[in-house]
Amino acid sequence: KNDFAGPRETLSVTCKIRVFPEIDKTVRYAQMLEKAGCQLLTVHGRTKEQKGPLSGAASWEHIKAVRKAVAIPVFANGNIQCLQDVERCLRDTGVQGVMSAEGNLHNPALFEGRSPAVWELAEEYLDIVREHPCPLSYVRAHLFKLWHHTLQVHQELREELAKVKTLEGIAAVSQELKLRCQEEISRQEGAKPTGDLPFHWICQPYIRPGPREGSKEKAGARSKRALEEEEGGTEVLSKNKQKKQLRNPHKTFDPSLKPKYAKCDQCGNPKMCVQPVPRLLQEASLQRDCRLPRSRIAF
Ligand SMILES: Cc1cc2nc3c(=O)[nH]c(=O)nc-3n(C[C@H](O)[C@H](O)[C@H](O)COP(=O)(O)O)c2cc1C
């Protein structure tokens, strides 16, 4: 019962989790969230260790087991790169919906089952930004994803995209990339793609290199992250941490200053008894469940 947040009609509680290596532990965690009032659960089928170059494939097996074990709608997340993946995931796991992040950033037409020319979506995106302005770093990050494959070919424009300081400057780089692609197309009229990569100017997934290939990539010119971070000059915090700091200027990211919590013997999560229990939680039965650390509950 969703009894810790007031009347059900006023607040929907949805959760998103990663999986544990063990399927049964993941299922128990999902059931615990359902019992606590979660009304829709998204399961990212990777463990907390599967990040960056260690991402690897998401486990739909875990997601399927969760879907079978709970009555609330489940969304699957991970390994969704094209419309066929969406269909296969719905069929194989029985989930009610899917979520895609990186795949959708590389091809925003993913859910339409199209792979348009990159400039088509880049121009549409830039029109939206002109209508609804946002920080330049967001625009740059989007275009780095969209133009990813073309920027491997036109490295100097990758550097330019990282450096320009205005929206129109970014739009000019995008326009130049478009012209170069169109010139290439007119030179290669009728040519077939060669090698592993289809034409680089088509919206398509980016398959993250494994740890070995990743280290080779780093050994080359400056990493993409370094280029993306040039805007900030002396930037030290990641973009996500900067956003968190904007919301809470007193937040510290120094691990040595973080409060240390004793771990629960049963679940490994921080013990609930370390700090006083907030009033709202005192009224809820949740406080007695050692498997639900207070630090994971947002009010
Ligand atoms: C730009 C970006 C921002 C993200 N922000 C969040 C976030 O705020 N909260 C969250 O739970 N996951 C966030 N994620 C993770 C995604 O929701 C998703 O779980 C992860 O990327 C795996 O899905 P994918 O294989 O489709 O990319 C973000 C991912 C990306 C690429």
Side-chain angles (χ1 to χ4, degrees):
K1 188 158 79 77
N2 175 7
D3 59 356
F4 58 88
R8 213 184 177 115
E9 315 75 79
T10 60
L11 184 68
S12 296
V13 180
T14 65
C15 301
K16 174 163 171 272
I17 58 169
R18 281 183 175 244
V19 297
F20 289 104
E22 306 84 7
I23 290 186
D24 58 338
K25 194 169 173 186
T26 310
V27 164
R28 282 203 305 279
Y29 198 79
Q31 287 171 328
M32 178 195 73
L33 290 170
E34 180 180 33
K35 201 167 141 219
C38 170
Q39 290 157 284
L40 186 154
L41 178 63
T42 299
V43 184
H44 177 191
R46 295 188 178 91
T47 63
K48 67 180 166 54
E49 286 77 24
Q50 287 181 277
K51 286 192 173 152
L54 301 177
S55 278
S59 165
W60 287 356
E61 278 308 304
H62 284 66
I63 299 173
K64 183 178 172 181
V66 168
R67 164 70 188 100
K68 273 195 189 149
V70 298
I72 51 175
V74 173
F75 281 12
N77 176 221
N79 304 353
I80 303 292
Q81 302 276 13
C82 59
L83 193 60
Q84 287 79 1
D85 290 339
V86 176
E87 287 155 1
R88 206 161 45 83
C89 184
L90 292 173
R91 193 184 59 232
D92 292 0
T93 64
V95 290
Q96 283 85 356
V98 301
M99 172 193 279
S100 170
E102 294 219 350
N104 201 40
L105 288 174
H106 284 279
N107 180 7
L110 186 162
F111 287 99
E112 291 174 19
R114 293 193 302 132
S115 297
V118 173
W119 58 82
E120 188 189 308
L121 296 190
E123 284 169 2
E124 190 180 332
Y125 171 65
L126 286 166
D127 284 345
I128 294 171
V129 175
R130 286 186 191 101
E131 205 175 325
H132 306 281
C134 67
L136 268 195
S137 58
Y138 297 3
V139 184
R140 210 190 303 281
H142 264 284
L143 290 184
F144 265 123
K145 296 270 188 213
L146 260 176
W147 280 115
H148 176 91
H149 298 287
T150 301
L151 290 170
Q152 306 294 313
V153 178
H154 298 287
Q155 293 271 340
E156 70 288 4
L157 287 176
R158 189 170 168 221
E159 304 239 354
E160 192 58 29
L161 184 56
K163 275 195 297 210
V164 281
K165 301 275 187 230
T166 61
L167 182 60
E168 286 323 307
I170 290 182
V173 176
S174 189
Q175 175 69 9
E176 179 61 24
L177 282 163
K178 171 183 173 177
L179 291 176
R180 292 201 189 184
C181 291
Q182 287 179 334
E183 275 169 25
E184 204 177 322
I185 292 168
S186 60
R187 278 200 308 273
Q188 300 182 345
E189 204 78 63
K192 296 262 181 310
T194 54
D196 296 336
L197 190 66
F199 297 119
H200 60 78
W201 53 84
I202 299 296
C203 287
Q204 60 198 287
Y206 164 58
I207 309 297
R208 211 183 265 279
R212 276 180 152 201
E213 293 161 78
S215 57
K216 255 191 269 160
E217 201 174 65
K218 268 193 197 139
R222 278 171 298 168
S223 70
K224 186 179 100 182
R225 183 165 194 100
L227 286 169
E228 286 174 21
E229 285 179 352
E230 273 181 9
E231 189 202 13
T234 56
E235 181 179 289
V236 181
L237 293 175
S238 70
K239 293 272 187 285
N240 263 347
K241 286 184 178 163
Q242 284 180 48
K243 272 191 256 165
K244 280 185 191 159
Q245 205 167 44
L246 266 182
R247 287 197 295 269
N248 179 1
H250 301 298
K251 191 171 175 65
T252 172
F253 294 98
D254 180 348
S256 68
L257 298 176
K258 281 205 164 173
K260 306 264 183 297
Y261 294 107
K263 278 194 175 177
C264 168
D265 299 335
Q266 290 181 44
C267 66
N269 282 320
K271 261 192 183 167
M272 303 220 24
C273 52
V274 176
Q275 284 182 359
V277 178
R279 190 182 52 78
L280 273 170
L281 260 183
Q282 283 173 16
E283 289 158 12
S285 58
L286 295 169
Q287 58 170 304
R288 287 189 293 275
D289 189 342
C290 80
R291 291 167 304 167
L292 195 66
R294 197 176 54 251
S295 59
R296 301 275 172 87
I297 301 174
F299 284 97

